């Protein structure tokens, strides 16, 4: 009984510990809190077994355990013997049972495919050692079926590669960054004191006035650099990027394969990643950059502080640092846009009671009877029932909206210019001035395609170096065009399906016997259609992202940069069309493809094209825009980013466990390289940029219909920055640091979106809102120069006896009397005119003013943008002065060093000359006595 009780207790404790382990893995991003003793004992996860060499990079590969309990270390050891036996059996007959020897060798190995992978690993690792890297294997890890190769770059390799990569490193020379004038210095110090509580508590903000002079590293000029601490001269980010550069160019097979990318693609290795610096949440964890970033950057309690961009760059590299710097600046620039948007909205709230058109709509004394909104089941309705919609429309459709559209266009131009200046400042601070990107190594897929082409033509021209031409890529290009058009067609088809849903649902709800249901038909249909559009957009976004990647892989771009740019272009086109097609339809097409009473336009001869309930689609545009924007930000950008990485981490952990974890193994703490293996691989910055670019489109493209868009974007981005920071630190493997001096193609996309936003907002103000019709009426048709009578001026008359047969309403007397004339929104002649229902001259006047407004608005705003671009220099004046000063200091440093070397050589030469003269004088003084005493007797004897 006691043994059974003990065993049950052990099982329950094991299951409990496993549940806690899973909970820590999923929800806390850690595997277990360590005691100080355990933390010390596990420090070797960042170093080799001897605790001396730092682990700069990790390669993982599959490992099999043999049935007899032997690890694959022994199996791999026998691979060489196996291949030797095969070669021996193929080349000659071995006496004394060679067949038994060969069969015995084969019985001790994997299948031939695994053998091939193992030998490619051996060849690759041998070449890595020849490149100077130090390797250490660990096949006894806690993760079953997985082996680790720890890579360390010694000092001589780091120096060699830093010189080849032209890495700029800080020299011993330090200079002071001075302000341009005493006034600016006082202003800067005052601003710094005011903003001191907003600065993160990191060292980079305490010594901004002191900067090290940087120069490309050279082994011949090592005396220029401070090498007193060689272990930390190259930080972990630089060391891992150096190792990755070696991995990319080290050959794993002489003729066709090259670098780690092809080995990962063929399954020789399963993963390759640098290590995070250490633990972040354990109290016993040693101080490191990762922990500092977690406390001062990824913590939601510091949402009001600036980002430690310098530390982000130091840990993740310039490319990721630029992304977070851009995101931070974009979020800061949203603050004034949000304030102005809120003021515009509050202005609409304050003036809604004084708005004459909405007062006329809400006045029941006008007794305006409107034509049915659908055939048969819809009845006549009073314009006063649209009072709520008209008042709500005024919140977004008021004279301040035009001002806000112009303001947002200038805001976008100011943002672009401000970013260019910020980018140049970062280039100076991060020593990227003069940096030019070199051509990257070919991708694995490109090498594989070239290998296939070479194998086909090897017999014809074995010495010819092959490459992929446009003819080779023609099938991929055709597939890209067809698939892109097909995906865009799918988006249009789904939008059309939602239109049919609105038409049919509206007709069905009007047939309801419930008065409450009939009174809320418009709101119900608008809201549900917007939600359906949101769900479809979220689903298609994931589908289009996968399709864009597949199409880009088909093209087989040569370098990673080409691949990324083509992927970005395809993804942006598909996701932009997906997100904005429903909004563009509501803004510019809905209510304009309707026809008129008695001659409506139909789809499939039964579905009448929908029109706006109160004659204006602006409110529905606002509803669609707000639901899509908020839904994408809340669900896609936040919940998906939190949930999906945690779910993938859990799946990876469960798959790696495979029922082979014993309790005593679970009680051990995973080492750093094992912990990082469970993290999600870094997939690039494309998804992060893409969601912000789409948000930028929501903020700028249709801001005339939704002035609160900048406010919602600002609130989202405050959370987004900390969410992305936490994801990069706790949910993703550490990315390989990449150098970059700008954000690349994303800047061009931003400029394109900003220019398109000017045109779209001009059309929204002109054609979607009633701003132009109100202005035309007030200055051309109003008898007293006011808006009294505007609503009646925009409504045309229709004789109900002119309805087509079978299309008239089933309820001709909804108010107890027969309706003879109904009204509809359009500029047409009345039925009693000589040209009944023809377009009136008022329509052409309004159309002319609308087109004129679009042209004037677009050109004026574009001109103002160009003026802003011309007035604001791309490079700040103080930065250009400091760059010039650095060049002068570098020249002085080299001249001083050269003069010092010349002086040393001159002193050495003079000392050599003096020593030579001294020795020659001594020789001259001592030679005669020596000759007489020694040489004369010898000469006498010789003769």
């Amino acid at each position: 009984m006691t043994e059974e009780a003990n065993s049950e207790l052990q099982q329950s404790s094991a299951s409990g510990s496993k549940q806690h382990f899973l909970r820590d893995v999923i929800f806390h991003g850690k595997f277990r809190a360590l005691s100080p003793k355990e933390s010390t004992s596990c420090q070797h996860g960042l170093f080799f077994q001897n605790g001396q060499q730092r682990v700069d990079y990790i390669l993982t590969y599959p490992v099999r355990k043999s049935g007899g309990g032997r690890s694959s270390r022994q199996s791999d050891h026998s691979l060489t013997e196996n291949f030797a036996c095969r070669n021996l059996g193929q080349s000659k007959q071995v006496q004394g049972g060679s067949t038994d020897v060969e069969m015995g060798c084969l019985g001790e190995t994997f299948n031939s495919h695994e053998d091939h992978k193992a030998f490619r690993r051996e060849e690759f690792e041998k070449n890595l050692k020849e490149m100077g890297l130090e390797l250490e294997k660990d096949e006894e890890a806690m993760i079953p079926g997985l082996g680790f190769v720890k890579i360390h770059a010694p000092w001589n390799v780091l120096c060699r590669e830093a010189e080849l990569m032209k890495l700029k490193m800080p020299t011993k020379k330090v200079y002071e960054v001075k302000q341009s004038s005493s006034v600016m210095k006082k202003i800067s110090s005052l601003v710094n004191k005011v903003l001191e509580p907003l600065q993160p508590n990191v060292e980079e903000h305490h010594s901004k006035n002191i900067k090290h002079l940087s120069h490309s590293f050279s082994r011949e000029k090592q005396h220029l650099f401070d090498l007193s601490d060689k272990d930390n001269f190259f930080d972990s980010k630089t060391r891992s990027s150096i190792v990755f550069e070696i991995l990319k160019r080290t050959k794993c097979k002489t003729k066709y394969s090259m670098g780690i990318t092809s080995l990962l693609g063929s399954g020789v290795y399963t993963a390759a990643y640098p290590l995070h610096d250490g633990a972040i949440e354990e109290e016993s964890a040693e101080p490191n950059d990762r922990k500092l970033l977690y406390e001062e950057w990824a913590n939601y309690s510091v949402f009001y502080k600036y980002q430690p961009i310098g530390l982000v760059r130091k840990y993740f590299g310039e490319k990721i640092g630029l992304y977070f710097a851009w995101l931070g600046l974009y979020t800061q620039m949203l603050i004034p846009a949000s304030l102005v948007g809120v003021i515009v909205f509050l202005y609409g709230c304050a003036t809604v009671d004084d708005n004459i058109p909405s007062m006329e709509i809400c006045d029941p004394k006008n007794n305006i009877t409107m034509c049915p909104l659908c055939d048969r089941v819809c009845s006549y309705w009073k314009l006063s029932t649209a009072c709520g919609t008209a008042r709500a429309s005024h919140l977004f459709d008021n004279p301040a909206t035009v001002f806000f559209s112009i303001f947002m266009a200038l805001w976008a131009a100011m943002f672009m210019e401000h970013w260019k200046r910020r980018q140049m400042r970062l280039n100076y601070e991060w020593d990227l001035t003069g940096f030019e990107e070199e051509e990257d190594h070919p991708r694995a897929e490109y090498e594989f395609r070239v290998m296939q082409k070479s194998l086909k033509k090897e017999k014809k021209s074995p010495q010819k170096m092959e490459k992929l031409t446009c003819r080779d890529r023609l099938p991929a290009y055709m597939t890209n065009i067809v698939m892109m058009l097909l995906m865009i067609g799918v988006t249009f088809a789904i939008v059309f399906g939602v239109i049919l849903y609105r038409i049919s649902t509206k007709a069905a709800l009007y047939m309801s016997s419930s008065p409450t249901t009939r009174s809320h038909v418009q709101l119900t249909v608008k809201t549900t259609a917007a939600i359906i559009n949101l769900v479809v957009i979220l689903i298609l976004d994931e589908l289009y992202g996968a399709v864009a990647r597949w199409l880009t892989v088909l093209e087989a771009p040569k370098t990673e940069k080409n691949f990324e740019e083509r992927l970005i272009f395809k993804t942006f086109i598909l996701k932009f069309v997906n997100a904005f097609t429903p909004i563009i339809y509501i803004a510019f097409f809905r209510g304009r493809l309707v026809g008129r009473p008695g001659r409506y336009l139909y789809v499939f001869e039964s579905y009448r094209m929908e029109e706006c309930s109160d004659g204006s689609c602006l409110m529905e545009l606002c509803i669609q825009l707000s639901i899509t924007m908020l839904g994408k930000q809340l669900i896609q950008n936040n919940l998906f980013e939190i949930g999906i990485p945690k779910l993938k981490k859990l799946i990876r952990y469960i798959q790696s466990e495979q029922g082979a974890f014993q309790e005593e193994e679970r009680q051990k703490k995973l080492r750093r390289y094992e912990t990082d293996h469970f993290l999600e691989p870094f997939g690039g910055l494309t998804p992060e940029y893409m969601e912000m670019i789409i948000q930028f489109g929501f903020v700028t493209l249709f801001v005339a219909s939704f002035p609160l868009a900048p406010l919602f974007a600002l609130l989202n981005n405050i959370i987004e920055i900390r969410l992305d920071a936490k994801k990069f630190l706790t949910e993703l493997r550490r990315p390989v640091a990449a150098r970059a001096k700008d954000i690349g193609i994303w800047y061009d996309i931003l400029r394109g979106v900003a220019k398109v936003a000017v045109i779209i907002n001009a059309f929204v103000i002109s054609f979607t809102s009633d701003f132009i019709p109100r202005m035309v009426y007030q200055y051309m048709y109003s008898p007293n120069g006011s808006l009294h009578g505007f609503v009646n001026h925009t409504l045309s008359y229709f004789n109900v006896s002119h309805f087509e047969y079978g299309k008239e309403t089933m309820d001709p007397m909804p108010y107890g009397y027969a309706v003879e004339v109904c009204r509809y929104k359009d500029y047409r002649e009345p039925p009693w005119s000589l040209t009944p229902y023809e377009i009136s001259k008022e329509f052409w006047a309004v159309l002319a003013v609308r087109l004129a407004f679009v042209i004037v608005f677009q050109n004026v705003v574009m001109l103002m943008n160009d003026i802003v671009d011309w007035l604001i220099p791309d490079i700040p004046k103080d930065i250009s002065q400091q760059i010039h000063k650095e060049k002068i200091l570098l020249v002085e440093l080299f001249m001083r060093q050269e003069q010092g070397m010349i002086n040393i050589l001159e002193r050495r030469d003079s000392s050599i000359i003096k020593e030579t003269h001294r020795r020659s004088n001594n020789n001259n003084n001592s030679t005669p006595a020596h000759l007489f005493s020694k040489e004369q007797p010898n000469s006498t004897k010789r003769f």
Side-chain angles (χ1 to χ4, degrees):
M1 293 296 292
T2 305
E3 293 179 357
E4 293 178 359
N6 290 335
S7 63
E8 291 178 359
L9 182 61
Q10 292 176 357
Q11 291 177 0
S12 63
S13 63
S15 62
S17 63
K18 185 174 182 178
Q19 291 175 358
H20 289 298
F21 187 75
L22 284 172
R23 182 187 63 193
D24 288 341
V25 168
I26 302 169
F27 298 107
H28 299 293
K30 58 182 181 178
F31 289 83
R32 193 179 333 217
L34 285 180
S35 65
K37 183 177 179 181
E38 288 176 326
S39 180
T40 304
S41 64
C42 293
Q43 183 65 22
H44 67 276
L46 294 170
F47 293 86
F48 279 16
Q49 290 293 338
N50 57 14
Q52 299 297 322
Q53 293 98 325
R54 183 200 305 266
V55 177
D56 297 319
Y57 219 86
I58 289 291
L59 303 178
T60 65
Y61 58 93
V63 173
R64 287 188 180 181
K65 299 283 185 178
S66 59
R70 184 184 61 172
S71 69
S72 69
R73 185 190 300 273
Q74 297 166 331
S75 299
D76 286 342
H77 182 70
S78 65
L79 286 175
T80 307
E81 298 177 2
N82 172 45
F83 271 74
C85 291
R86 289 183 181 179
N87 294 333
L88 189 63
Q90 292 174 359
S91 60
K92 62 179 180 179
Q93 296 291 332
V94 181
Q95 296 180 355
S98 62
T99 305
D100 294 337
V101 173
E102 187 174 351
M103 292 301 295
C105 292
L106 288 173
E108 294 289 332
T109 59
F110 305 137
N111 56 54
S112 60
H113 186 61
E114 294 298 329
D115 290 345
H116 179 65
K117 289 183 179 180
F119 270 86
R120 292 186 71 184
R121 274 198 302 272
E122 283 189 15
E123 179 188 359
F124 184 67
E125 291 166 10
K126 178 183 176 183
N127 294 337
L128 290 180
K129 292 179 180 178
E130 292 177 355
M131 294 292 292
L133 298 179
E134 298 178 4
L135 310 181
E136 182 180 82
K137 283 192 174 184
D138 181 10
E139 295 182 353
E140 304 299 331
M142 285 183 61
I143 305 176
L146 201 65
F148 295 87
V149 179
K150 293 178 277 187
I151 303 177
H152 169 75
W155 171 255
N156 60 331
V157 175
L158 294 173
C159 294
R160 181 192 70 207
E161 297 299 322
E163 184 174 353
L164 292 176
M165 295 170 65
K166 301 178 182 178
L167 295 182
K168 276 193 172 183
M169 304 301 295
T171 63
K172 298 176 184 178
K173 176 68 175 177
V174 177
Y175 69 97
E176 182 180 1
V177 180
K178 296 182 180 181
Q179 297 291 339
S180 56
S181 64
S182 59
V183 177
M184 292 299 298
K185 186 175 182 180
K186 291 179 181 179
I187 295 175
S188 178
S189 62
L190 179 61
V191 171
N192 290 335
K193 288 181 180 179
V194 173
L195 298 179
E196 185 64 29
L198 303 181
Q199 298 293 348
N201 188 21
V202 294
E203 294 182 359
E204 64 170 6
H205 293 286
H206 300 310
S207 58
K208 282 188 172 181
N209 295 331
I210 301 298
K211 189 177 186 298
H212 282 270
L213 192 64
S214 297
H215 186 262
S216 299
F217 186 83
S218 173
R219 286 172 289 181
E220 296 180 354
K221 296 184 175 66
Q222 290 192 27
H223 56 277
L224 297 177
F225 305 94
D226 184 8
L227 303 181
S228 58
D229 186 7
K230 291 185 177 181
D231 292 337
N232 297 316
F233 181 74
F234 296 104
D235 55 20
S236 58
K237 172 258 299 182
T238 307
R239 297 173 69 97
S240 62
S241 62
I242 287 175
V243 173
F244 182 66
E245 186 68 22
I246 297 175
L247 291 175
K248 285 196 299 184
R249 73 166 187 262
T250 302
K251 294 182 179 180
C252 56
K253 198 174 181 182
T254 305
K255 188 171 183 179
Y256 300 118
S257 297
M258 185 183 199
I260 190 63
T261 53
S262 56
L263 293 175
L264 290 171
S266 59
V268 176
Y269 291 102
T270 56
Y273 52 90
L275 296 180
H276 280 292
D277 273 1
I280 52 177
E281 292 185 336
E282 288 80 1
E283 295 180 359
S284 59
E286 295 184 1
N288 56 73
D289 289 342
R290 187 189 185 198
K291 185 176 182 180
L292 184 59
L293 282 172
Y294 186 81
E295 295 171 351
E296 296 294 331
W297 182 48
N299 198 335
Y300 290 107
S301 62
V302 296
F303 73 92
Y304 61 92
K305 290 187 176 183
Y306 290 104
Q307 301 180 83
I309 294 298
L311 190 59
V312 174
R313 172 252 180 179
K314 178 185 175 185
Y315 191 77
F316 289 111
E318 287 80 7
K319 195 171 186 178
I320 294 177
L322 282 173
Y323 163 70
F324 281 104
W326 174 84
L327 180 57
L329 179 64
Y330 171 49
T331 305
Q332 292 175 31
M333 292 291 292
L334 283 173
I335 296 176
S338 303
L339 292 176
V340 177
V342 171
I343 292 174
V344 170
F345 178 76
L346 294 177
Y347 171 81
C349 295
T351 59
V352 66
D353 293 331
D354 301 327
N355 183 40
I356 296 175
S358 61
M359 291 169 61
E360 290 183 346
I361 292 175
C362 296
D363 188 1
K365 295 180 181 179
N366 288 332
N367 198 26
I368 298 177
T369 302
M370 304 295 293
C371 296
L373 295 174
C374 62
D375 294 339
R376 303 292 294 168
V377 296
C378 296
S379 183
Y380 303 104
W381 56 285
K382 294 294 184 180
L383 182 61
S384 59
T385 59
C387 176
T389 306
R391 290 173 63 87
S393 297
H394 178 72
L395 303 179
F396 308 101
D397 184 11
N398 55 70
T401 304
V402 180
F403 159 75
F404 188 58
S405 300
I406 298 175
F407 170 81
M408 287 303 296
L410 295 178
W411 172 88
M414 290 288 292
F415 167 59
M416 304 302 293
E417 293 301 316
H418 195 179
W419 168 245
K420 283 195 292 187
R421 292 170 63 84
R422 172 67 170 155
Q423 193 170 252
M424 285 303 303
R425 189 174 296 275
L426 291 177
N427 284 341
Y428 163 71
E429 294 177 356
W430 295 350
D431 300 320
L432 293 173
T433 53
F435 168 72
E436 295 294 338
E437 294 185 4
E438 298 179 358
E439 186 176 357
D440 201 358
H441 298 285
R443 300 179 66 253
E445 291 84 355
Y446 179 84
E447 291 178 341
F448 181 72
R449 291 277 297 274
V450 171
M451 180 188 70
Q452 288 181 322
K453 183 178 179 180
S454 301
L455 289 175
K456 292 179 181 178
K457 298 183 178 181
E458 189 172 1
K459 295 182 180 179
K460 298 180 181 179
S461 54
Q463 302 297 329
K464 185 179 179 180
M465 295 296 294
E466 296 292 343
K467 64 178 182 179
L468 296 183
T469 61
C470 291
R471 184 176 181 181
D472 298 325
R473 292 192 174 101
L474 183 61
Y477 290 153
M478 297 301 298
T479 305
N480 270 260
I481 295 174
V482 172
M483 288 299 297
M484 292 284 288
L485 294 177
L486 177 62
M487 294 297 102
I488 294 175
V490 168
T491 301
F492 291 162
I494 291 176
V495 171
F496 184 70
V498 175
I499 295 172
L500 296 182
Y501 161 80
R502 276 199 293 256
I503 296 172
S504 58
T505 304
K506 185 186 296 182
L509 291 178
Y510 273 120
M511 296 175 64
S512 174
S513 59
S514 173
T516 306
T517 303
R518 291 198 301 272
S519 62
H520 295 89
V521 168
Q522 296 296 331
L523 182 61
T524 303
V525 172
K526 291 175 185 178
T527 307
T528 55
I531 294 175
I532 291 173
N533 271 323
L534 172 63
V535 173
V536 170
I537 286 172
L538 294 178
I539 295 174
L540 289 183
D541 263 356
E542 302 301 320
L543 174 63
Y544 288 167
V547 170
R549 179 167 290 274
W550 173 66
L551 292 176
T552 310
V553 170
L554 280 182
E555 291 184 37
K558 183 176 181 180
T559 64
E560 202 65 41
K561 182 180 179 181
N562 293 338
F563 180 88
E564 185 178 6
E565 289 180 349
R566 297 186 186 192
L567 175 63
I568 289 170
F569 177 75
K570 295 181 184 64
T571 308
F572 173 75
I573 293 296
L574 293 177
K575 291 193 174 185
F576 185 87
V577 171
N578 181 40
F580 290 101
T581 298
I583 299 172
I584 291 174
Y585 163 74
I586 294 174
F588 303 126
F589 296 100
R590 185 180 175 184
R592 290 172 174 78
L593 305 176
V594 178
R596 62 168 179 83
R599 192 176 292 176
Y600 285 114
L601 297 178
Y602 291 88
V603 180
F604 304 136
E605 298 183 356
S606 57
Y607 294 99
R608 193 178 104 185
M609 290 299 293
E610 56 184 347
E611 56 183 309
C612 303
S613 59
D614 61 341
S616 175
C617 291
L618 192 68
M619 193 61 203
E620 184 167 349
L621 174 63
C622 179
I623 292 174
Q624 178 69 58
L625 190 63
S626 59
I627 290 179
T628 304
M629 180 180 179
L630 296 178
K632 277 180 67 67
Q633 291 183 162
L634 180 64
I635 298 174
Q636 189 177 46
N637 298 356
N638 293 331
L639 294 182
F640 283 7
E641 287 192 7
I642 296 173
I644 290 181
K646 290 185 179 295
L647 182 61
K648 288 183 177 180
K649 185 195 297 185
L650 173 63
I651 294 173
R652 193 177 294 107
Y653 164 69
I654 294 175
Q655 288 178 345
S656 66
E657 187 180 25
Q658 298 176 352
F661 266 121
Q662 302 298 326
E663 179 57 27
E664 62 265 19
E665 291 179 328
R666 277 202 305 271
Q667 293 299 327
K668 298 177 183 178
K669 167 66 177 159
L670 294 178
R671 287 161 288 193
R672 172 51 48 197
Y673 52 86
E674 295 168 328
T675 303
D676 287 1
H677 172 76
F678 287 105
L679 301 178
E680 178 74 6
F682 175 65
L685 290 171
T686 299
E688 313 300 333
Y689 273 114
M690 188 63 65
E691 66 184 53
M692 289 296 106
I693 296 295
I694 297 297
Q695 184 200 83
F696 183 78
F698 282 121
V699 168
T700 56
L701 291 177
F702 294 92
V703 73
S705 61
F706 191 43
L708 295 179
L711 176 63
F712 291 122
L714 173 64
L715 297 177
N716 173 80
N717 288 3
I718 291 174
I719 302 173
E720 179 76 17
I721 290 176
R722 310 302 164 180
L723 186 65
D724 281 349
K726 195 166 187 177
K727 180 177 69 173
F728 272 75
L729 287 172
T730 62
E731 306 294 341
L732 299 179
R733 292 173 187 165
R734 187 175 184 178
V736 178
R739 289 187 295 171
K741 62 187 304 182
D742 51 43
I743 60 175
I745 191 176
W746 295 111
Y747 182 80
D748 299 326
I749 293 176
L750 282 171
R751 288 189 65 90
V753 171
K755 291 183 180 298
V756 172
V758 176
I759 302 173
I760 288 184
N761 279 297
F763 276 95
V764 169
I765 294 172
S766 182
F767 286 90
T768 307
S769 73
D770 284 336
F771 175 77
I772 298 299
R774 287 197 302 264
M775 188 173 63
V776 170
Y777 174 79
Q778 184 174 2
Y779 294 105
M780 293 181 63
Y781 298 104
S782 175
N784 55 6
S786 68
L787 289 176
H788 289 286
F790 168 73
V791 174
N792 185 64
H793 178 76
T794 58
L795 298 177
S796 299
Y797 293 89
F798 179 75
N799 191 334
V800 298
S801 62
H802 296 165
F803 273 120
E804 296 179 4
Y805 178 76
K807 305 295 183 180
E808 67 276 3
T809 178
M810 293 186 299
D811 186 12
M813 303 177 62
Y815 306 111
Y817 58 88
V819 177
E820 297 180 355
V821 176
C822 64
R823 309 291 295 273
Y824 62 98
K825 186 166 184 178
D826 205 348
Y827 291 100
R828 291 182 180 271
E829 297 291 342
W832 54 80
S833 69
L834 296 177
T835 55
Y837 308 126
E838 293 294 327
I839 294 175
S840 64
K841 61 180 181 179
E842 288 85 357
F843 171 83
W844 298 111
V846 172
L847 179 62
V849 176
R850 280 174 166 168
L851 294 176
F853 177 84
V854 169
I855 295 173
V856 172
F857 182 91
Q858 174 185 341
N859 286 278
V860 168
V861 174
M862 292 290 187
L863 177 62
M864 296 173 69
N865 286 346
D866 292 338
I867 292 174
V868 170
D869 192 4
W870 176 71
L871 288 176
I872 302 176
D874 294 344
I875 304 177
K877 185 177 180 180
D878 61 325
I879 295 300
S880 61
Q881 291 176 351
Q882 296 300 333
I883 293 175
H884 182 67
K885 181 179 179 180
E886 275 200 355
K887 292 180 180 179
I888 295 175
L889 290 175
L890 270 177
V891 172
E892 291 179 355
L893 179 63
F894 285 129
M895 292 297 292
R896 192 181 303 115
Q897 292 292 330
E898 184 177 352
Q899 187 64 38
M901 294 297 295
I902 292 174
N903 292 338
I904 292 173
L905 292 175
E906 288 179 351
R907 286 196 297 268
R908 185 187 302 171
D909 292 342
S910 62
S911 62
I912 292 174
I913 292 172
K914 289 180 180 179
E915 182 66 22
T916 305
H917 282 298
R918 188 181 62 81
R919 289 183 179 179
S920 62
N921 292 333
N922 292 337
N923 291 334
N924 291 333
N925 294 332
S926 61
T927 299
H930 176 72
L931 290 175
F932 284 122
S933 61
K934 297 291 183 181
E935 293 182 3
Q936 284 182 354
N938 292 338
S939 61
T940 304
K941 289 181 181 180
R942 187 176 299 120
F943 288 105

